[in-house]
């Protein structure tokens, strides 16, 4: 199940293209490949809306994606029958660092971690979240629409984008 860098890049570019389309369509801002201070890791994508900042990790895995409960009743993520719950922890950690930073800047906005499986096939009984991380089972656009009217304060997309870029600059 080795993931080649090329395959990962194809997934990231595919998700980036989808996010750019959505940003253009709905007047949002999509950012790609952000640095994490003090780390070699990167945040694949951010989508900044008036009510939610989505922290998105793109995956291009083969096999059926299935989120279901294990024997202990805890939701797990499997792709092609292999446990992939660690990728959930990673995107959750990235979202937490964005959230903490925005709070330190006194910006009150919902920050949502999202795992985007590029061109994935989902198990028909698959859940749409694991441990607080949304999975793009129903598509990213549906997530946007679902969260567009949540009861939370609205933020200025440009100022939030500029704040984030000041702390998490683009990698290239």
């Amino acid at each position: 199940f080795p993931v080649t860098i090329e395959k990962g890049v194809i997934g990231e570019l595919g998700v980036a293209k989808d996010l750019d389309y959505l940003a253009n369509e709905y007047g949002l801002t999509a950012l790609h490949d952000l640095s994490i201070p003090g780390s070699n890791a990167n945040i694949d994508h951010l989508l900044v809306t008036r009510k939610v900042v989505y922290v998105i990790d793109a995956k291009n895995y083969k096999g059926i994606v299935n989120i279901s409960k294990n024997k202990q009743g805890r939701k797990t993520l499997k792709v092609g029958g292999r446990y992939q719950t660690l990728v959930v922890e990673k995107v959750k950690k990235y979202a937490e660092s964005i959230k903490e930073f925005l709070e330190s800047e006194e910006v009150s906005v919902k920050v949502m971690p999202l795992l985007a499986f590029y061109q994935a096939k989902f198990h028909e009984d698959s859940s749409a979240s694991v441990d607080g991380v949304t999975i793009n089972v129903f598509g990213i656009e549906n997530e946007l629409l679902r969260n567009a009217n949540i009861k939370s304060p609205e933020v200025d997309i440009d100022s939030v984008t500029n704040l984030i870029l000041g702390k998490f600059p683009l990698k290239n």
Side-chain angles (χ1 to χ4, degrees), residues 59-141:
K59 296 293 170 207
N60 190 9
Y61 292 169
K62 289 267 184 266
I64 303 274
V65 179
N66 188 13
I67 299 108
S68 58
K69 290 187 176 171
N70 64 13
K71 290 181 181 95
Q72 292 76 37
R74 186 178 166 91
K75 280 189 191 172
T76 60
L77 169 67
K78 283 185 182 176
V79 183
R82 295 178 183 257
Y83 283 100
Q84 293 293 335
T85 310
L86 281 177
V87 297
V88 170
E89 294 307 314
K90 188 174 85 164
V91 70
K92 200 172 170 177
K93 193 175 92 181
Y94 296 166
E96 195 56 40
S97 59
I98 295 284
K99 182 178 190 248
E100 285 172 5
F101 168 69
L102 289 173
E103 284 174 354
S104 77
E105 296 290 323
E106 297 180 5
V107 175
S108 179
V109 66
K110 184 176 174 85
V111 177
M112 248 178 118
L114 190 142
L115 265 177
F117 287 95
Y118 182 63
Q119 295 183 333
K121 305 263 185 290
F122 292 96
H123 188 277
E124 61 182 33
D125 296 328
S126 193
S127 173
S129 71
V130 179
D131 202 17
V133 174
T134 300
I135 313 293
N136 67 323
V137 175
F138 303 111
I140 295 171
E141 187 169 13

Side-chain angles (χ1 to χ4, degrees):
F1 198 79
V3 177
T4 63
I5 289 176
E6 185 178 287
K7 188 176 169 208
V9 169
I10 290 167
E12 283 187 35
L13 293 173
V15 170
K17 188 176 170 190
D18 293 346
L19 293 173
D20 288 341
Y21 167 80
L22 292 170
N24 190 39
E25 193 70 13
Y26 293 100
L28 312 173
T29 298
L31 301 171
H32 312 290
D33 203 17
L34 288 101
S35 304
I36 299 173
S39 166
N40 288 331
N42 72 309
I43 297 171
D44 290 347
H45 313 282
L46 275 188
L47 190 61
V48 183
T49 77
R50 284 183 293 288
K51 296 205 173 203
V52 181
V53 174
Y54 294 90
V55 179
I56 303 167
D57 199 24
K59 296 293 170 207
N60 190 9
Y61 292 169
K62 289 267 184 266
I64 303 274
V65 179
N66 188 13
I67 299 108
S68 58
K69 290 187 176 171
N70 64 13
K71 290 181 181 95
Q72 292 76 37
R74 186 178 166 91
K75 280 189 191 172
T76 60
L77 169 67
K78 283 185 182 176
V79 183
R82 295 178 183 257
Y83 283 100
Q84 293 293 335
T85 310
L86 281 177
V87 297
V88 170
E89 294 307 314
K90 188 174 85 164
V91 70
K92 200 172 170 177
K93 193 175 92 181
Y94 296 166
E96 195 56 40
S97 59
I98 295 284
K99 182 178 190 248
E100 285 172 5
F101 168 69
L102 289 173
E103 284 174 354
S104 77
E105 296 290 323
E106 297 180 5
V107 175
S108 179
V109 66
K110 184 176 174 85
V111 177
M112 248 178 118
L114 190 142
L115 265 177
F117 287 95
Y118 182 63
Q119 295 183 333
K121 305 263 185 290
F122 292 96
H123 188 277
E124 61 182 33
D125 296 328
S126 193
S127 173
S129 71
V130 179
D131 202 17
V133 174
T134 300
I135 313 293
N136 67 323
V137 175
F138 303 111
I140 295 171
E141 187 169 13
N142 281 331
E143 282 307 311
L144 285 179
L145 297 173
R146 199 170 65 83
N147 290 301
N149 295 316
I150 60 171
K151 287 190 181 358
S152 70
E154 290 199 357
V155 295
D156 180 75
I157 292 174
D158 292 338
S159 64
V160 169
T161 299
N162 291 332
L163 267 178
I164 290 170
L165 285 172
K167 177 79 174 180
F168 303 88
L170 299 175
K171 270 213 155 179
N172 11 9

